[in-house]
Amino acid sequence: MKIKLTDIAKTFPSKNGTLTALEEINLEISEGEFVCLVGPSGCGKSTLLNIIAGFDRPDEGSLVTNGRPANGARTSCVMIFQEPALFPWLTARKNVEFGLKMAGMPKKERTERALAYLKMVHLSRFVNSNIHELSGGMKQRVALARALALNPDVLLMDEPFAALDAQTRDMLHEELTEIWSKTKKTILFVTHNVREAVHLGDRVLVLSARPGRIKSEFKIDLVRPRDPANPDVGRITSLIMKELKEEVEKIAKEEFDSDWAASKATILHSADHSMGSGI
Ligand SMILES: Nc1ncnc2c1ncn2[C@@H]1O[C@H](COP(=O)(O)OP(=O)(O)OP(=O)(O)O)[C@@H](O)[C@H]1O
Ligand SMILES: [Mg+2]
């Protein structure tokens, strides 16, 4: 699905009046494009996904999907979060089937479909396992299968791999790349990890510190599968990290006030770590 956002702005009420979360967001995402979004904490990344999903409404601006104004919740978008919100008392298969059952799909068909998508995420051996028996990475793969089974046009992924260890994350990167090239879904993927963004995306957008605006964008014209050791990957990653670091510093200065000088070393160290670790 093609998405076009024009002059989107979003404010929230806050203790000190209003907080502008997003301002002048202009963005076009092509059908089948894989776009990654990075930005400092609180810059409005999740808010932007919520607006695209139809969970939240912008105060200003317009959102057009496939050439039509988008109103209300959009069934053609599915959101995947850091914590896979699965039903712990159901098996992997029943979790994937759940949404299909709600949509009124007959039993035989939904079972077949659930099994096919669990196969796609390489979980065929675990279809009858209970969720609590699965590792974090496996749970996230069930969540991915559940989302894909609904056959959405767009996958909105909000830091989906942030809670996983580096090796599991690597595996899921390969899996997601493979699934994306098979299904040609449009993906908008939020991450704090710049290397992850460069590894996965056709394009990486950097959002500025509050209010969130699109500060810069980088086209990633590198063939897949991408080799993290490729010097081009390193070069683009450094460029994006530099842009992002400026925004992280702005937030840190605001939030840490007079303690800023003392905290600076620690903040930048941890920002470096989370921006690039684990790939
Ligand atoms: N429902 C709400 N009511 C009031 N303020 C909100 C609400 N939702 C978000 N905000 C504020 O809007 C700003 C953007 O929030 P958002 O969750 O979109 O940021 P984010 O970029 O996803 O951050 P993070 O990287 O920490 O997930 C933040 O300052 C947040 O406190
Ligand atoms: Mg968020």
Side-chain angles (χ1 to χ4, degrees), residues 84-208:
L86 301 166
F87 299 119
W89 60 90
L90 295 180
T91 62
R93 175 173 66 79
K94 290 209 164 139
N95 265 282
V96 179
E97 275 190 43
F98 187 82
L100 305 173
K101 190 175 175 181
M102 291 295 107
M105 188 180 280
K107 182 155 182 33
K108 186 165 170 289
E109 199 182 331
R110 69 174 188 254
T111 302
E112 277 171 11
R113 201 176 170 111
L115 294 176
Y117 281 99
L118 284 164
K119 188 172 177 204
M120 188 184 269
V121 297
H122 307 295
L123 279 180
S124 291
R125 279 168 49 220
F126 298 93
V127 294
N128 292 320
S129 300
N130 285 314
I131 294 303
H132 69 84
E133 296 171 297
L134 304 179
S135 68
M138 288 157 104
K139 285 183 198 160
Q140 202 50 286
R141 280 147 72 195
V142 175
L144 191 55
R146 180 181 58 180
L148 291 164
L150 294 169
N151 196 23
D153 292 324
V154 181
L155 281 180
L156 300 169
M157 307 184 78
D158 200 351
E159 301 185 47
F161 306 147
L164 304 175
D165 63 85
Q167 286 74 29
T168 306
R169 197 158 48 204
D170 280 351
M171 268 168 50
L172 281 163
H173 289 155
E174 297 324 312
E175 221 157 84
L176 183 60
T177 303
E178 193 186 311
I179 287 168
W180 171 76
S181 43
K182 260 189 213 158
T183 60
K184 284 290 163 210
K185 299 286 175 205
T186 307
I187 300 182
L188 186 53
F189 187 106
V190 169
T191 178
H192 280 279
N193 188 318
V194 176
R195 285 186 200 281
E196 177 170 65
V198 173
H199 190 70
L200 292 173
D202 291 321
R203 192 154 48 117
V204 178
L205 308 175
V206 181
L207 249 65
S208 63

